[in-house]
Short mmCIF file of all heavy atoms in Angstrom, two decimals:
data_model
loop_
_atom_site.label_atom_id
_atom_site.label_comp_id
_atom_site.label_asym_id
_atom_site.label_seq_id
_atom_site.Cartn_x
_atom_site.Cartn_y
_atom_site.Cartn_z
N GLN A 1 0.85 -1.18 0.00
CA GLN A 1 0.00 0.00 0.00
C GLN A 1 0.89 1.23 0.00
O GLN A 1 1.76 1.37 0.85
CB GLN A 1 -0.91 0.02 1.23
CG GLN A 1 -1.84 -1.18 1.29
CD GLN A 1 -2.64 -1.20 2.58
OE1 GLN A 1 -2.36 -0.44 3.51
NE2 GLN A 1 -3.64 -2.06 2.63
N SER A 2 0.64 2.12 -0.94
CA SER A 2 1.48 3.32 -1.04
C SER A 2 1.07 4.34 0.00
O SER A 2 -0.10 4.55 0.27
CB SER A 2 1.35 3.95 -2.44
OG SER A 2 1.82 3.05 -3.41
N MET A 3 2.04 4.99 0.57
CA MET A 3 1.80 6.07 1.49
C MET A 3 3.03 6.97 1.50
O MET A 3 4.12 6.55 1.18
CB MET A 3 1.50 5.56 2.91
CG MET A 3 2.61 4.74 3.53
SD MET A 3 2.16 3.94 5.06
CE MET A 3 1.73 5.34 6.06
N THR A 4 2.81 8.24 1.83
CA THR A 4 3.90 9.20 1.83
C THR A 4 4.51 9.29 3.22
O THR A 4 3.82 9.56 4.19
CB THR A 4 3.40 10.59 1.40
OG1 THR A 4 2.85 10.48 0.09
CG2 THR A 4 4.53 11.60 1.40
N LEU A 5 5.80 9.03 3.30
CA LEU A 5 6.54 9.09 4.55
C LEU A 5 7.82 9.87 4.31
O LEU A 5 8.22 10.11 3.18
CB LEU A 5 6.89 7.68 5.04
CG LEU A 5 5.74 6.72 5.34
CD1 LEU A 5 6.29 5.34 5.58
CD2 LEU A 5 4.95 7.19 6.54
N ALA A 6 8.46 10.24 5.39
CA ALA A 6 9.79 10.82 5.28
C ALA A 6 10.80 9.72 5.54
O ALA A 6 10.71 9.01 6.54
CB ALA A 6 9.96 11.96 6.28
N ALA A 7 11.74 9.54 4.64
CA ALA A 7 12.80 8.56 4.81
C ALA A 7 14.10 9.30 5.08
O ALA A 7 14.38 10.32 4.45
CB ALA A 7 12.93 7.69 3.57
N HIS A 8 14.88 8.79 6.02
CA HIS A 8 16.13 9.43 6.41
C HIS A 8 17.25 8.40 6.34
O HIS A 8 17.05 7.25 6.73
CB HIS A 8 16.04 9.97 7.85
CG HIS A 8 14.85 10.83 8.11
ND1 HIS A 8 14.91 12.21 8.17
CD2 HIS A 8 13.55 10.50 8.35
CE1 HIS A 8 13.71 12.69 8.43
NE2 HIS A 8 12.87 11.68 8.55
N TRP A 9 18.43 8.81 5.90
CA TRP A 9 19.55 7.89 5.89
C TRP A 9 20.87 8.65 5.86
O TRP A 9 20.92 9.87 5.62
CB TRP A 9 19.47 6.91 4.73
CG TRP A 9 19.61 7.48 3.35
CD1 TRP A 9 20.75 7.59 2.61
CD2 TRP A 9 18.58 8.03 2.52
NE1 TRP A 9 20.49 8.16 1.39
CE2 TRP A 9 19.17 8.43 1.31
CE3 TRP A 9 17.20 8.22 2.70
CZ2 TRP A 9 18.42 9.02 0.29
CZ3 TRP A 9 16.47 8.80 1.67
CH2 TRP A 9 17.08 9.18 0.48
N LEU A 10 21.96 7.93 6.13
CA LEU A 10 23.32 8.47 6.07
C LEU A 10 24.07 7.78 4.95
O LEU A 10 23.92 6.58 4.75
CB LEU A 10 24.06 8.27 7.39
CG LEU A 10 23.51 8.98 8.62
CD1 LEU A 10 24.31 8.57 9.86
CD2 LEU A 10 23.56 10.49 8.45
N LEU A 11 24.90 8.55 4.24
CA LEU A 11 25.72 8.01 3.16
C LEU A 11 27.19 8.19 3.49
O LEU A 11 27.60 9.25 3.96
CB LEU A 11 25.42 8.72 1.84
CG LEU A 11 24.07 8.46 1.17
CD1 LEU A 11 23.95 9.33 -0.08
CD2 LEU A 11 23.91 7.01 0.81
N ALA A 12 27.97 7.13 3.25
CA ALA A 12 29.43 7.20 3.37
C ALA A 12 30.00 6.33 2.27
O ALA A 12 30.05 5.11 2.39
CB ALA A 12 29.89 6.71 4.74
N GLY A 13 30.42 6.95 1.18
CA GLY A 13 30.87 6.17 0.03
C GLY A 13 29.70 5.37 -0.52
O GLY A 13 28.66 5.92 -0.86
N GLU A 14 29.85 4.03 -0.57
CA GLU A 14 28.77 3.17 -1.06
C GLU A 14 27.89 2.66 0.07
O GLU A 14 26.90 1.96 -0.18
CB GLU A 14 29.37 1.97 -1.81
CG GLU A 14 30.12 2.38 -3.08
CD GLU A 14 30.62 1.17 -3.84
OE1 GLU A 14 30.45 0.05 -3.33
OE2 GLU A 14 31.16 1.35 -4.95
N ARG A 15 28.21 3.02 1.31
CA ARG A 15 27.38 2.60 2.44
C ARG A 15 26.15 3.48 2.55
O ARG A 15 26.24 4.71 2.54
CB ARG A 15 28.16 2.67 3.76
CG ARG A 15 29.28 1.67 3.90
CD ARG A 15 29.90 1.79 5.28
NE ARG A 15 28.99 1.34 6.34
CZ ARG A 15 29.19 1.57 7.63
NH1 ARG A 15 30.25 2.25 8.02
NH2 ARG A 15 28.34 1.12 8.53
N ARG A 16 24.99 2.87 2.64
CA ARG A 16 23.72 3.59 2.82
C ARG A 16 23.07 3.05 4.08
O ARG A 16 22.65 1.90 4.12
CB ARG A 16 22.81 3.38 1.61
CG ARG A 16 21.52 4.19 1.64
CD ARG A 16 20.68 3.88 0.41
NE ARG A 16 19.55 4.76 0.29
CZ ARG A 16 18.37 4.57 0.91
NH1 ARG A 16 18.22 3.52 1.70
NH2 ARG A 16 17.38 5.42 0.74
N LEU A 17 23.01 3.88 5.11
CA LEU A 17 22.53 3.43 6.41
C LEU A 17 21.20 4.12 6.72
O LEU A 17 21.16 5.31 7.02
CB LEU A 17 23.55 3.78 7.50
CG LEU A 17 24.96 3.21 7.28
CD1 LEU A 17 25.89 3.71 8.37
CD2 LEU A 17 24.92 1.69 7.27
N PRO A 18 20.08 3.39 6.64
CA PRO A 18 18.78 3.99 6.93
C PRO A 18 18.64 4.33 8.41
O PRO A 18 19.14 3.61 9.28
CB PRO A 18 17.79 2.91 6.50
CG PRO A 18 18.55 1.64 6.60
CD PRO A 18 19.97 1.96 6.25
N LEU A 19 17.96 5.43 8.69
CA LEU A 19 17.67 5.84 10.06
C LEU A 19 16.21 5.52 10.34
O LEU A 19 15.34 5.71 9.49
CB LEU A 19 17.93 7.34 10.23
CG LEU A 19 19.35 7.81 9.94
CD1 LEU A 19 19.44 9.33 9.99
CD2 LEU A 19 20.33 7.20 10.93
N VAL A 20 15.94 5.05 11.54
CA VAL A 20 14.59 4.62 11.89
C VAL A 20 13.89 5.70 12.69
O VAL A 20 14.51 6.63 13.22
CB VAL A 20 14.62 3.31 12.70
CG1 VAL A 20 15.33 2.22 11.93
CG2 VAL A 20 15.29 3.52 14.07
N SER A 21 12.58 5.57 12.78
CA SER A 21 11.80 6.49 13.60
C SER A 21 12.20 6.33 15.06
O SER A 21 12.33 5.22 15.56
CB SER A 21 10.31 6.21 13.42
OG SER A 21 9.53 7.06 14.23
N GLY A 22 12.43 7.46 15.73
CA GLY A 22 12.88 7.42 17.11
C GLY A 22 14.38 7.59 17.22
O GLY A 22 14.99 8.27 16.39
N GLU A 23 14.98 6.98 18.22
CA GLU A 23 16.40 7.18 18.51
C GLU A 23 17.30 6.24 17.72
O GLU A 23 17.05 5.03 17.66
CB GLU A 23 16.65 6.98 20.00
CG GLU A 23 18.09 7.24 20.43
CD GLU A 23 18.30 7.03 21.91
OE1 GLU A 23 18.31 5.87 22.36
OE2 GLU A 23 18.44 8.04 22.63
N ASN A 24 18.34 6.81 17.11
CA ASN A 24 19.36 6.04 16.40
C ASN A 24 20.71 6.34 17.07
O ASN A 24 21.23 7.45 16.93
CB ASN A 24 19.43 6.45 14.93
CG ASN A 24 18.16 6.18 14.18
OD1 ASN A 24 18.03 5.17 13.50
ND2 ASN A 24 17.19 7.10 14.29
N ILE A 25 21.25 5.37 17.79
CA ILE A 25 22.55 5.57 18.43
C ILE A 25 23.65 5.34 17.40
O ILE A 25 23.63 4.38 16.64
CB ILE A 25 22.74 4.61 19.62
CG1 ILE A 25 21.70 4.90 20.71
CG2 ILE A 25 24.16 4.71 20.19
CD1 ILE A 25 21.83 6.28 21.33
N VAL A 26 24.62 6.25 17.39
CA VAL A 26 25.78 6.17 16.51
C VAL A 26 27.00 5.85 17.36
O VAL A 26 27.25 6.52 18.36
CB VAL A 26 26.00 7.50 15.76
CG1 VAL A 26 27.21 7.40 14.83
CG2 VAL A 26 24.75 7.89 14.98
N GLY A 27 27.78 4.81 16.98
CA GLY A 27 28.97 4.52 17.76
C GLY A 27 29.60 3.18 17.43
O GLY A 27 29.20 2.51 16.48
N ARG A 28 30.59 2.79 18.24
CA ARG A 28 31.31 1.53 18.04
C ARG A 28 30.68 0.36 18.78
O ARG A 28 31.09 -0.78 18.59
CB ARG A 28 32.76 1.68 18.49
CG ARG A 28 33.64 2.48 17.54
CD ARG A 28 35.12 2.37 17.91
NE ARG A 28 35.41 2.95 19.20
CZ ARG A 28 35.74 2.27 20.28
NH1 ARG A 28 35.83 0.95 20.24
NH2 ARG A 28 36.01 2.89 21.42
N ALA A 29 29.70 0.62 19.66
CA ALA A 29 29.06 -0.47 20.40
C ALA A 29 28.34 -1.39 19.43
O ALA A 29 27.76 -0.94 18.44
CB ALA A 29 28.07 0.10 21.42
N ALA A 30 28.37 -2.70 19.73
CA ALA A 30 27.74 -3.68 18.83
C ALA A 30 26.26 -3.43 18.66
O ALA A 30 25.68 -3.74 17.63
CB ALA A 30 27.98 -5.09 19.37
#
């Protein structure tokens, strides 16, 4: 079902990392 949302992500070279709704922790922790 189609719906309009906002999508967020980070790019680093060929890496594409999607961000989710709410908190996204950035770091070296597993």
Side-chain angles (χ1 to χ4, degrees):
Q1 299 175 349
S2 297
M3 60 189 300
T4 300
L5 299 170
H8 308 258
W9 67 94
L10 296 175
L11 290 176
E14 296 183 355
R15 292 184 69 193
R16 185 181 188 276
L17 303 176
L19 301 173
V20 302
S21 178
E23 183 180 73
N24 298 262
I25 296 296
V26 181
R28 285 191 296 110

